[in-house]
Amino acid sequence: MLFFAVIGLASTSAVKAQDKVEASVGTDLVSGYIWRGQDLGGVSIQPSAGLSYKGFSLSAWGSVGLEGTDTKELDLTLGYEYGGFSIGVTDYWFTSADSPARYSDYKDAHTFEVALGYDFGPLAVNWFTNFAGSVGANDEGKDVYASYISVSAPFSLGGIEWSAEIGATPWANDFYNGYSDGFKVSSISLQASKEVKITDSFSLPLWAQAIWNPTTKGAYFVAGISF
């Protein structure tokens, strides 16, 4: 889920701009849907919309695969950012042909997650923990409130923007990777992005990402474009 950075304001006009509600809407087309090292589907359309005001944000994000068996998803996120610090709560809803679910089925079809993060500039650290709904269980069937931690580092090279990231689940759970019996690295990725110029006044953001999941031995190379 996306958070909007709060930055220092250098002029009166900039201050006034912060007092206004800002809205956004967009759609991504991706060649594959890989989330935290897990394969959730093939070619997918992923729309998003959001509102932000003085560091607070409310956003909706979805994913619909072109194949009928792909996971369908709707996420709602309420977040806040100040400086490099961010906090948010997300309601994830998943359904698929293999595991059909109604939106009203909060225990099995929804996962509620709290996120905390800090962006240091050259490095960003984020921690995510499930706290309600389908939270993940251990091998005894007890709720373990599955968590995920990621560390990412952006950099520029060859005229392109890059981001390297590593993510892991810190304790045993069946929410990630089928089942993880302890601390497991779930995703090691490298992403490159650039603006593709269409006309003198219009360009489209394009990205490509290589992902490896050491726990499941899965490897993926996906790309996406934003509208």
Side-chain angles (χ1 to χ4, degrees):
M1 307 314 73
L2 299 179
F3 299 106
F4 301 92
V6 178
I7 61 175
L9 302 175
S11 67
T12 303
S13 60
V15 172
K16 291 181 179 179
Q18 278 293 309
D19 291 334
K20 296 180 180 179
V21 175
E22 297 181 357
S24 63
V25 63
T27 297
D28 292 340
L29 176 63
V30 299
S31 63
Y33 179 19
I34 311 299
W35 181 71
R36 299 179 184 174
Q38 301 177 103
D39 186 353
L40 299 187
V43 177
S44 301
I45 298 172
Q46 299 177 338
S48 62
L51 295 171
S52 62
Y53 179 67
K54 291 187 175 182
F56 292 94
S57 62
L58 177 64
S59 63
W61 184 93
S63 183
V64 178
L66 298 188
E67 296 292 332
T69 56
D70 285 344
T71 300
K72 295 178 175 62
E73 182 177 347
L74 171 61
D75 305 337
L76 300 175
T77 299
L78 177 64
Y80 178 73
E81 245 193 46
Y82 183 80
F85 172 77
S86 63
I87 184 171
V89 175
T90 297
D91 170 14
Y92 297 93
W93 176 67
F94 301 94
T95 185
S96 67
D98 294 333
S99 182
R102 297 172 297 177
Y103 192 80
S104 59
D105 188 358
Y106 283 93
K107 174 58 180 176
D108 297 322
H110 289 256
T111 294
F112 296 88
E113 174 191 83
V114 62
L116 291 172
Y118 197 88
D119 187 348
F120 296 91
L123 196 71
V125 180
N126 290 278
W127 181 285
F128 310 88
T129 294
N130 301 338
F131 67 89
S134 179
V135 298
N138 60 18
D139 57 0
E140 298 176 352
K142 296 180 180 179
D143 290 345
V144 293
Y145 305 98
S147 293
Y148 187 85
I149 184 172
S150 71
V151 179
S152 60
F155 60 97
S156 298
L157 181 65
I160 292 179
E161 298 302 315
W162 300 77
S163 179
E165 183 174 356
I166 183 168
T169 179
W171 52 71
N173 71 93
D174 65 359
F175 190 82
Y176 293 102
N177 306 311
Y179 183 78
S180 298
D181 57 5
F183 180 91
K184 296 291 183 180
V185 176
S186 297
S187 177
I188 299 173
S189 68
L190 181 64
Q191 179 173 304
S193 59
K194 65 175 295 183
E195 296 280 334
V196 179
K197 186 176 181 180
I198 306 300
T199 68
D200 290 338
S201 59
F202 180 69
S203 61
L204 290 174
L206 171 69
W207 58 265
Q209 186 178 36
I211 306 161
W212 179 45
N213 185 330
T215 300
T216 63
K217 310 303 181 184
Y220 315 94
F221 188 71
V222 294
I225 194 164
S226 301
F227 299 90

